[in-house]
Amino acid sequence: MTKEELWQAALARLQLNVSRANFAAWFKEATILDWQNDNVLIGTPNSFSKEWLKKKFHEDILKALKDVAPEIKKVEYAVFNKSSSEKNNPPPPQNSKQIPFEELQLNPRTGLNTRYTFKDFVVASFNEVAYAAAEAVVRDPGRAYNPFFVYGGVGLGKTHLLQAIGNKLDEEEEMKIKYISADKLVSQIVNSIHDRSIDSLKKEFQQLDLLIVDDIQFVAGKEKTQEEFFHIFNALYERNSQIILSSDRLPSAIPALEKRLSSRFEGGMVTDVGRPDYESRRAILETKAKEWKIDLSHEIVDYVATNIQNNVRELEGALKRLDAHQNMKKGKLTLSIVQKILRDLTKTQAKIATPQKIVSSVASFYDIEIKELLSPTRKKDVAYPRQIAMYLLRQDLKKSYLSIGEVFGGRDHTTVIYACTKIHGETAKDAQLAEEINLIRQRIYGE
Ligand code: ADP
Ligand code: MG
């Protein structure tokens, strides 16, 4: 067996165990560089994918190789494309910045807001994967990851990251670029169908080298838009134009989205931004405080990072208040002043789930009526979300099975037990479901 044959056979096995998006993103470009007895050296196109394979897929890879050639015991990884530069850390932010004002910096040619740059983008554990993928897109637009799909809750930096890619490419390359939010896209398409200019609108889009559509979940249920966008997408994809999309959820979880579109969206790189953990929140606060010239002690940074947890936008909001105070009073900020200034912000942080909140978050996530979720209907697209809602009531509120049954119109407690056990078991095996539950929790606790 040659090393190529070994790799093909291993890939066939790996394909069964990793998601399609992961497979496309991480395995397609990898290869076996060397195979000596029990030792295999895997080559990847860049250091990021090397680290990623090593960190996330090492066990899977070793097992797949062993299945084919049982003598293999050791797998090592190396980068084989030396041209890819190593720049996994952004340069430190400069010290000369004002708090940015969004409206003023719109580039009318591209639709991009030039305030969103990589330079100002703080990279930490909650967004490092999305960031690294974005860098790969910048290095090799149209080829590295196409489409590139980023999802996650509000205020976590999706728009910032998408626009940073656009601004960077606009700076460095001769590219026709367009950034557009999906709701704008919907109205442009609808209007142009109405006044019969859809062909010229489509032509305009199809000539782009880079198209960024933000919040693509807003095309849900918009059939005409989906139809036209499908053609635009295909035309761009065929000419290797880069397509970048963001959403509040995975493509397959966007309700009323044509299957052919969601599978196109999954065909490239799909990655999420999570909620920032404590360390990430500190990093964001420290970087921005420096950038905006706000003088904060460690104690204050710690206080804000501990008490404001939801997203980057809220951290920015807190900093802006502190800045305003500092400008007004000129005095040094003390912890007790900060506590006073942020009192109302930190209070709302103690978000607790209620049964109502859980039910309404699940219903809105799956785009069904609360009424329906609580009704006895057995339709699958309602019954499954209902089981998830039951599971969350149990997990997060520790409700009794009996009382959960009552929430859903007096269902038997054995039905509830069945639902909770089932969903619990599935989350352990089904990464997509785990992710959906995670996103629902972000809605319950985050917004
Ligand atoms: P989303 O599109 O996910 O709702 P945004 O991109 O609008 O979030 O981010 C909200 C605010 O937080 C923006 O002002 C953005 O500049 C800032 N922000 C988000 N993530 C980061 C980050 N990693 N580094 C610096 N600023 C960030
Ligand atoms: Mg956004």
Side-chain angles (χ1 to χ4, degrees), residues 140-154:
D140 201 3
R143 290 185 175 76
Y145 300 126
N146 205 17
F148 175 38
F149 191 104
V150 186
Y151 69 96
V154 294

Side-chain angles (χ1 to χ4, degrees), residues 231-283:
H231 296 300
I232 294 169
F233 185 104
N234 288 342
L236 290 176
Y237 186 82
E238 264 161 40
R239 62 191 292 271
N240 281 328
S241 295
Q242 178 71 46
I243 303 153
I244 306 179
L245 306 161
S246 81
S247 165
D248 64 346
R249 61 189 80 190
L250 282 163
S252 55
I254 300 175
L257 178 69
E258 283 185 36
K259 187 82 189 72
R260 59 179 184 168
L261 269 179
S262 68
S263 68
R264 285 287 190 291
F265 296 170
E266 281 166 356
M269 172 67 158
V270 179
T271 178
D272 73 320
V273 279
R275 285 172 71 190
D277 59 1
Y278 172 76
E279 287 306 324
S280 302
R281 298 197 295 271
R282 281 195 72 109

Side-chain angles (χ1 to χ4, degrees), residues 115 120 122 127 155-160 288 312-313 316:
R115 77 159 264 241
D120 291 339
V122 181
N127 62 14
L156 294 172
K158 300 184 298 297
T159 295
H160 190 139
K288 290 200 185 264
V312 184
R313 190 186 300 276
E316 280 189 338

Side-chain angles (χ1 to χ4, degrees), residues 299-300 303-304 307 321-322 333-347:
E299 195 187 23
I300 293 174
Y303 175 80
V304 180
N307 289 285
R321 276 203 198 176
L322 299 182
L333 284 164
T334 63
L335 183 61
S336 68
I337 295 175
V338 170
Q339 283 169 339
K340 269 199 210 103
I341 299 173
L342 301 182
R343 181 170 294 151
D344 59 315
L345 290 183
T346 51
K347 250 194 210 141

